[in-house]
Amino acid sequence: QRYTVNLQLKSTKGPAVGQIASAPINVARGCLSTHVVIVNMLDNVAEVKCKYNKIWLEAFKAHVPGRQYVPEKKWWTCPRSSLSDLAKLMEHVGMAVPDEVKLSMATSQSGSGT
């Protein structure tokens, strides 16, 4: 398959919390393999920090439900319920998914049935 980078994306709202981000990711696989994104897990949210990159920002906004920008800290947060979407996006663009995120995903999935 062939993927193209769509740099003409306008301000997209993306899916809301609880909605599934099922739209195909329309950026090239591996295109951000050198871009560094730091993810820190807090109680119910993940802090997502990185330098500005238009491709990452537009893809993040379009595919991670419930994300919110924290202007005073200059980072994003996303709810624990969106971690699988964040991981899927990171893997698609060539970033390693932090072990802390994988562990939090596993913990939230195993705890969802109780």
Side-chain angles (χ1 to χ4, degrees):
Q1 285 184 334
R2 197 164 185 202
Y3 297 93
T4 58
V5 177
N6 183 356
L7 294 177
Q8 298 180 24
L9 293 174
K10 300 291 181 192
S11 177
T12 58
K13 291 187 178 186
V17 174
Q19 289 184 332
I20 298 172
S22 60
I25 299 172
N26 61 346
V27 296
R29 286 193 176 278
C31 68
L32 295 173
S33 61
T34 60
H35 187 65
V36 177
V37 173
I38 299 168
V39 181
N40 294 318
M41 294 305 305
L42 300 177
D43 289 335
N44 290 317
V45 297
E47 296 174 341
V48 181
K49 306 172 189 179
C50 63
K51 290 185 177 181
Y52 177 80
N53 179 293
K54 182 175 179 155
I55 296 170
W56 168 255
L57 180 61
E58 293 298 330
F60 179 76
K61 288 165 62 176
H63 296 285
V64 179
R67 78 272 176 273
Q68 293 184 322
Y69 186 65
V70 183
E72 59 275 5
K73 301 284 187 174
K74 296 186 178 179
W75 66 48
W76 290 83
T77 62
C78 72
R80 193 174 286 270
S81 60
S82 296
L83 289 179
S84 61
D85 296 303
L86 176 61
K88 183 177 174 183
L89 176 62
M90 290 178 79
E91 287 175 346
H92 180 86
V93 298
M95 297 176 187
V97 178
D99 290 337
E100 190 176 9
V101 172
K102 293 176 184 177
L103 180 62
S104 292
M105 286 171 47
T107 302
S108 65
Q109 288 173 356
S110 65
S112 64
T114 57

